[in-house]
Amino acid sequence: MRHMQLQRFAGERTERATPRRREDARKEGRVARSPELTSAIALAALLIALRVVGPMVWGQWENIFQLDFSTPPPNVWTTNTVAQLLVMQMMSALKALAPIVGTGLIIGVAVAVMQVRPMFTMRQLVPDFSRIVPTTGLQRLFSSSSLFELGKSLAKLAIVGVLSYSSVSRMAAEIRGYGDTDVTSVPGVVGSLVFQLGIRMTIAMVLLAALDFMYQRYAFEKSLRMTKQEVKDEWKDAEGNPQIKSTIRKRARQMAMRRMMQAVPKADVVVTNPTHFAIALRYDGTTMTAPEVVAKGADSLAQRMKIIAAESGVPMVENKPLAQSLYRMVDIGEQVPAELYQAVAEVLAYVYRMRAGRRR
């Protein structure tokens, strides 16, 4: 019985998705995104743009109307005359609406890209014949995501209906109060009320879109979950992948290089060739039986070590034979061999005398 329970538990998707699983899903075009969030923020951008450049757009429309009514009609109406008039009107309208529409379009595209990051895939264009299977379609119809989408649509419909009814009722009451005022003030009042309705709807849509975005992230993470066996199989596959091994070796070399460079400021002396080799030595008589090589490098790496040593105040001693011997015979972390004791001791003694002279 216990064995059967363990087998059942091992088949459950309880593990978080690995980076490889996420990358594969991204290549297939599967990402967490909320179209509702894109639409809501684009609508908010439209309202802001309308508020900022609305008076300018209205002024352009007034100029268009004045031009239409002040320009005498042509003596003869032809197809070309009507086409030119329509093109002129369309261009004027597009020019007036371009700031508002452009703002909404740019913000909408930016929000969509921010959700999924820049990506391009052709996987979504490949036909999926499993979608036309009746049983699969029924499963999708009654799935949790479909029910959530239905609830979201009903919520949007209810929000729009309630806000529209309350705003229209308020609008009708305020318009009735302007019965004795000038007719020219009514469009401004109506426009202000409509704009307030747009703000209320936008706030509601943004809140609903935020909930939708959180649900989409949750559903996406849940769909990527893996079983314990899948994680183990992926790890075994990754261990045998030459590219993965190469990446691991490269990172190990980088980490070793960083550790070596961090050890240079702690060295007692850097022995140089002077241009081709640099070897950093450290000696502590209380814990070491012989000096230890904490860093070494050739050519460009040696130059970097010399720069770090100069910045850290580590003495540098030029000794070509000793530098060549240390670079060839001793690895990083190893102690100096006995045959080099005398040469290294002379270098360290010189450094100690130099430090003592500086202190005096």
Side-chain angles (χ1 to χ4, degrees):
M1 179 67 69
R2 177 179 293 180
H3 179 68
M4 293 178 62
Q5 290 177 348
L6 290 175
Q7 281 188 332
R8 182 177 62 83
F9 181 74
E12 294 180 355
R13 298 185 179 276
T14 57
E15 305 302 310
R16 290 176 59 88
T18 60
R20 179 179 174 183
R21 176 89 165 206
R22 295 179 186 277
E23 187 63 26
D24 291 342
R26 184 174 176 80
K27 290 178 180 178
E28 295 174 359
R30 295 168 52 208
V31 291
R33 62 185 183 90
S34 172
E36 303 294 334
L37 184 63
T38 303
S39 303
I41 295 184
L43 179 59
L46 281 172
L47 284 178
I48 294 173
L50 184 62
R51 184 69 175 178
V52 174
V53 301
M56 181 186 68
V57 173
W58 181 253
Q60 292 181 355
W61 280 103
E62 287 183 341
N63 293 334
I64 293 172
F65 291 141
Q66 291 176 2
L67 182 63
D68 289 340
F69 287 110
S70 61
T71 303
N75 296 328
V76 180
W77 289 92
T78 63
T79 305
N80 292 334
T81 303
V82 175
Q84 290 176 1
L85 183 61
L86 290 175
V87 169
M88 184 178 66
Q89 296 289 347
M90 289 177 61
M91 293 302 295
S92 300
L94 290 175
K95 183 179 179 181
L97 295 175
I100 299 176
V101 177
T103 300
L105 181 61
I106 293 173
I107 296 298
V109 172
V111 173
V113 172
M114 287 174 61
Q115 288 189 71
V116 302
R117 291 177 292 145
M119 61 175 293
F120 178 78
T121 179
M122 300 292 292
R123 296 286 184 91
Q124 297 295 326
L125 300 179
V126 178
D128 186 4
F129 295 103
S130 63
R131 292 180 176 272
I132 62 176
V133 178
T135 55
T136 306
L138 289 174
Q139 290 177 357
R140 287 200 307 270
L141 183 62
F142 295 101
S143 64
S144 58
S145 60
S146 298
L147 294 177
F148 179 80
E149 293 295 328
L150 176 61
K152 184 174 64 176
S153 300
L154 293 176
K156 288 170 60 177
L157 183 62
I159 290 172
V160 171
V162 171
L163 291 178
S164 299
Y165 178 78
S166 61
S167 298
V168 169
S169 301
R170 180 184 172 188
M171 187 185 305
E174 291 198 18
I175 290 176
R176 283 197 298 268
Y178 285 88
D180 298 332
T181 59
D182 188 6
V183 178
T184 57
S185 63
V186 174
V189 174
V190 174
S192 176
L193 294 173
V194 171
F195 188 77
Q196 292 177 14
L197 171 62
I199 292 177
R200 295 172 65 186
M201 285 190 175
T202 301
I203 293 174
M205 291 303 169
V206 168
L207 294 176
L208 186 62
L211 294 175
D212 178 63
F213 179 73
M214 289 188 290
Y215 173 78
Q216 297 296 340
R217 289 292 299 269
Y218 164 76
F220 179 70
E221 290 294 330
K222 186 178 179 181
S223 68
L224 291 182
R225 285 189 176 272
M226 306 170 65
T227 63
K228 293 182 179 295
Q229 187 61 40
E230 287 175 340
V231 174
K232 291 180 181 179
D233 293 342
E234 184 177 305
W235 177 251
K236 291 179 181 178
D237 184 53
E239 283 185 332
N241 192 327
Q243 187 175 0
I244 299 296
K245 287 185 176 180
S246 175
T247 303
I248 293 174
R249 286 195 296 267
K250 181 179 179 181
R251 290 183 178 177
R253 288 195 299 269
Q254 292 174 347
M255 293 176 64
M257 185 70 64
R258 278 198 298 271
R259 286 196 299 268
M260 187 181 74
M261 289 301 177
Q262 291 171 356
V264 173
K266 303 175 183 177
D268 292 314
V269 64
V270 174
V271 183
T272 64
N273 191 24
T275 57
H276 295 296
F277 301 112
I279 297 91
L281 297 174
R282 180 174 176 271
Y283 178 64
D284 185 356
T286 60
T287 60
M288 299 179 182
T289 58
E292 179 182 320
V293 174
V294 295
K296 70 176 185 177
D299 299 328
S300 61
L301 186 56
Q303 300 303 319
R304 287 176 58 190
M305 289 177 58
K306 290 165 63 177
I307 293 173
I308 295 175
E311 293 175 348
S312 305
V314 178
M316 287 181 283
V317 176
E318 179 182 340
N319 190 323
K320 295 181 180 179
L322 179 59
Q324 293 174 359
S325 299
L326 287 171
Y327 187 84
R328 185 178 63 255
M329 297 172 59
V330 189
D331 290 330
I332 298 172
E334 293 183 353
Q335 293 185 343
V336 174
E339 57 264 33
L340 298 179
Y341 279 175
Q342 182 64 33
V344 172
E346 292 176 358
V347 171
L348 290 174
Y350 167 74
V351 171
Y352 294 154
R353 287 196 303 271
M354 183 172 61
R355 288 179 178 174
R358 288 179 179 173
R359 283 196 295 270
R360 286 198 298 269

